[in-house]
mmCIF file with all atom_site columns, all heavy atoms in Angstrom:
data_model
loop_
_atom_site.group_PDB
_atom_site.id
_atom_site.type_symbol
_atom_site.label_atom_id
_atom_site.label_alt_id
_atom_site.label_comp_id
_atom_site.label_asym_id
_atom_site.label_entity_id
_atom_site.label_seq_id
_atom_site.pdbx_PDB_ins_code
_atom_site.Cartn_x
_atom_site.Cartn_y
_atom_site.Cartn_z
_atom_site.occupancy
_atom_site.B_iso_or_equiv
_atom_site.pdbx_formal_charge
_atom_site.auth_seq_id
_atom_site.auth_comp_id
_atom_site.auth_asym_id
_atom_site.auth_atom_id
_atom_site.pdbx_PDB_model_num
ATOM 1  N N   . VAL H 1 121 ? -12.062 -26.414 -120.697 1.00 95.00 ? 121 VAL H N   1
ATOM 2  C CA  . VAL H 1 121 ? -12.640 -27.089 -119.534 1.00 95.00 ? 121 VAL H CA  1
ATOM 3  C C   . VAL H 1 121 ? -13.088 -26.068 -118.491 1.00 95.00 ? 121 VAL H C   1
ATOM 4  O O   . VAL H 1 121 ? -14.152 -26.210 -117.879 1.00 95.00 ? 121 VAL H O   1
ATOM 5  C CB  . VAL H 1 121 ? -11.640 -28.091 -118.926 1.00 95.00 ? 121 VAL H CB  1
ATOM 6  C CG1 . VAL H 1 121 ? -12.266 -28.813 -117.738 1.00 95.00 ? 121 VAL H CG1 1
ATOM 7  C CG2 . VAL H 1 121 ? -11.193 -29.102 -119.964 1.00 95.00 ? 121 VAL H CG2 1
ATOM 8  N N   . MET H 1 122 ? -12.293 -25.018 -118.282 1.00 95.00 ? 122 MET H N   1
ATOM 9  C CA  . MET H 1 122 ? -12.663 -24.009 -117.289 1.00 95.00 ? 122 MET H CA  1
ATOM 10 C C   . MET H 1 122 ? -13.935 -23.258 -117.698 1.00 95.00 ? 122 MET H C   1
ATOM 11 O O   . MET H 1 122 ? -14.743 -22.877 -116.849 1.00 95.00 ? 122 MET H O   1
ATOM 12 C CB  . MET H 1 122 ? -11.519 -23.025 -117.059 1.00 95.00 ? 122 MET H CB  1
ATOM 13 C CG  . MET H 1 122 ? -10.214 -23.651 -116.569 1.00 95.00 ? 122 MET H CG  1
ATOM 14 S SD  . MET H 1 122 ? -10.410 -24.884 -115.256 1.00 95.00 ? 122 MET H SD  1
ATOM 15 C CE  . MET H 1 122 ? -11.174 -23.915 -113.969 1.00 95.00 ? 122 MET H CE  1
ATOM 16 N N   . THR H 1 123 ? -14.132 -23.071 -118.996 1.00 97.00 ? 123 THR H N   1
ATOM 17 C CA  . THR H 1 123 ? -15.369 -22.456 -119.471 1.00 97.00 ? 123 THR H CA  1
ATOM 18 C C   . THR H 1 123 ? -16.553 -23.380 -119.229 1.00 97.00 ? 123 THR H C   1
ATOM 19 O O   . THR H 1 123 ? -17.637 -22.936 -118.828 1.00 97.00 ? 123 THR H O   1
ATOM 20 C CB  . THR H 1 123 ? -15.255 -22.106 -120.969 1.00 97.00 ? 123 THR H CB  1
ATOM 21 O OG1 . THR H 1 123 ? -14.151 -21.217 -121.160 1.00 97.00 ? 123 THR H OG1 1
ATOM 22 C CG2 . THR H 1 123 ? -16.526 -21.447 -121.491 1.00 97.00 ? 123 THR H CG2 1
ATOM 23 N N   . HIS H 1 124 ? -16.357 -24.671 -119.449 1.00 97.00 ? 124 HIS H N   1
ATOM 24 C CA  . HIS H 1 124 ? -17.408 -25.657 -119.202 1.00 97.00 ? 124 HIS H CA  1
ATOM 25 C C   . HIS H 1 124 ? -17.806 -25.647 -117.728 1.00 97.00 ? 124 HIS H C   1
ATOM 26 O O   . HIS H 1 124 ? -18.995 -25.639 -117.390 1.00 97.00 ? 124 HIS H O   1
ATOM 27 C CB  . HIS H 1 124 ? -16.912 -27.050 -119.611 1.00 97.00 ? 124 HIS H CB  1
ATOM 28 C CG  . HIS H 1 124 ? -18.014 -28.048 -119.813 1.00 97.00 ? 124 HIS H CG  1
ATOM 29 N ND1 . HIS H 1 124 ? -18.614 -28.254 -121.025 1.00 97.00 ? 124 HIS H ND1 1
ATOM 30 C CD2 . HIS H 1 124 ? -18.631 -28.887 -118.936 1.00 97.00 ? 124 HIS H CD2 1
ATOM 31 C CE1 . HIS H 1 124 ? -19.547 -29.185 -120.912 1.00 97.00 ? 124 HIS H CE1 1
ATOM 32 N NE2 . HIS H 1 124 ? -19.577 -29.593 -119.651 1.00 97.00 ? 124 HIS H NE2 1
ATOM 33 N N   . ILE H 1 125 ? -16.810 -25.621 -116.855 1.00 95.00 ? 125 ILE H N   1
ATOM 34 C CA  . ILE H 1 125 ? -17.069 -25.587 -115.412 1.00 95.00 ? 125 ILE H CA  1
ATOM 35 C C   . ILE H 1 125 ? -17.812 -24.309 -115.034 1.00 95.00 ? 125 ILE H C   1
ATOM 36 O O   . ILE H 1 125 ? -18.772 -24.331 -114.256 1.00 95.00 ? 125 ILE H O   1
ATOM 37 C CB  . ILE H 1 125 ? -15.739 -25.689 -114.631 1.00 95.00 ? 125 ILE H CB  1
ATOM 38 C CG1 . ILE H 1 125 ? -15.128 -27.077 -114.798 1.00 95.00 ? 125 ILE H CG1 1
ATOM 39 C CG2 . ILE H 1 125 ? -15.946 -25.367 -113.151 1.00 95.00 ? 125 ILE H CG2 1
ATOM 40 C CD1 . ILE H 1 125 ? -13.706 -27.179 -114.303 1.00 95.00 ? 125 ILE H CD1 1
ATOM 41 N N   . THR H 1 126 ? -17.375 -23.190 -115.587 1.00 97.00 ? 126 THR H N   1
ATOM 42 C CA  . THR H 1 126 ? -18.024 -21.910 -115.284 1.00 97.00 ? 126 THR H CA  1
ATOM 43 C C   . THR H 1 126 ? -19.492 -21.937 -115.676 1.00 97.00 ? 126 THR H C   1
ATOM 44 O O   . THR H 1 126 ? -20.367 -21.451 -114.942 1.00 97.00 ? 126 THR H O   1
ATOM 45 C CB  . THR H 1 126 ? -17.307 -20.757 -116.001 1.00 97.00 ? 126 THR H CB  1
ATOM 46 O OG1 . THR H 1 126 ? -15.941 -20.732 -115.600 1.00 97.00 ? 126 THR H OG1 1
ATOM 47 C CG2 . THR H 1 126 ? -17.964 -19.418 -115.678 1.00 97.00 ? 126 THR H CG2 1
ATOM 48 N N   . ALA H 1 127 ? -19.795 -22.499 -116.847 1.00 97.00 ? 127 ALA H N   1
ATOM 49 C CA  . ALA H 1 127 ? -21.180 -22.571 -117.302 1.00 97.00 ? 127 ALA H CA  1
ATOM 50 C C   . ALA H 1 127 ? -22.020 -23.429 -116.365 1.00 97.00 ? 127 ALA H C   1
ATOM 51 O O   . ALA H 1 127 ? -23.203 -23.129 -116.125 1.00 97.00 ? 127 ALA H O   1
ATOM 52 C CB  . ALA H 1 127 ? -21.236 -23.115 -118.724 1.00 97.00 ? 127 ALA H CB  1
ATOM 53 N N   . GLN H 1 128 ? -21.431 -24.498 -115.830 1.00 96.00 ? 128 GLN H N   1
ATOM 54 C CA  . GLN H 1 128 ? -22.157 -25.330 -114.877 1.00 96.00 ? 128 GLN H CA  1
ATOM 55 C C   . GLN H 1 128 ? -22.466 -24.552 -113.597 1.00 96.00 ? 128 GLN H C   1
ATOM 56 O O   . GLN H 1 128 ? -23.577 -24.641 -113.053 1.00 96.00 ? 128 GLN H O   1
ATOM 57 C CB  . GLN H 1 128 ? -21.342 -26.579 -114.553 1.00 96.00 ? 128 GLN H CB  1
ATOM 58 C CG  . GLN H 1 128 ? -21.237 -27.549 -115.723 1.00 96.00 ? 128 GLN H CG  1
ATOM 59 C CD  . GLN H 1 128 ? -20.343 -28.744 -115.417 1.00 96.00 ? 128 GLN H CD  1
ATOM 60 O OE1 . GLN H 1 128 ? -19.411 -28.648 -114.616 1.00 96.00 ? 128 GLN H OE1 1
ATOM 61 N NE2 . GLN H 1 128 ? -20.628 -29.871 -116.061 1.00 96.00 ? 128 GLN H NE2 1
ATOM 62 N N   . ILE H 1 129 ? -21.497 -23.775 -113.128 1.00 96.00 ? 129 ILE H N   1
ATOM 63 C CA  . ILE H 1 129 ? -21.727 -22.951 -111.934 1.00 96.00 ? 129 ILE H CA  1
ATOM 64 C C   . ILE H 1 129 ? -22.753 -21.869 -112.249 1.00 96.00 ? 129 ILE H C   1
ATOM 65 O O   . ILE H 1 129 ? -23.654 -21.582 -111.446 1.00 96.00 ? 129 ILE H O   1
ATOM 66 C CB  . ILE H 1 129 ? -20.406 -22.319 -111.452 1.00 96.00 ? 129 ILE H CB  1
ATOM 67 C CG1 . ILE H 1 129 ? -19.388 -23.412 -111.078 1.00 96.00 ? 129 ILE H CG1 1
ATOM 68 C CG2 . ILE H 1 129 ? -20.640 -21.397 -110.259 1.00 96.00 ? 129 ILE H CG2 1
ATOM 69 C CD1 . ILE H 1 129 ? -17.983 -22.888 -110.838 1.00 96.00 ? 129 ILE H CD1 1
#
Side-chain angles (χ1 to χ4, degrees):
V121 181
M122 301 316 300
T123 301
H124 198 91
I125 291 168
T126 302
Q128 291 176 331
I129 299 169

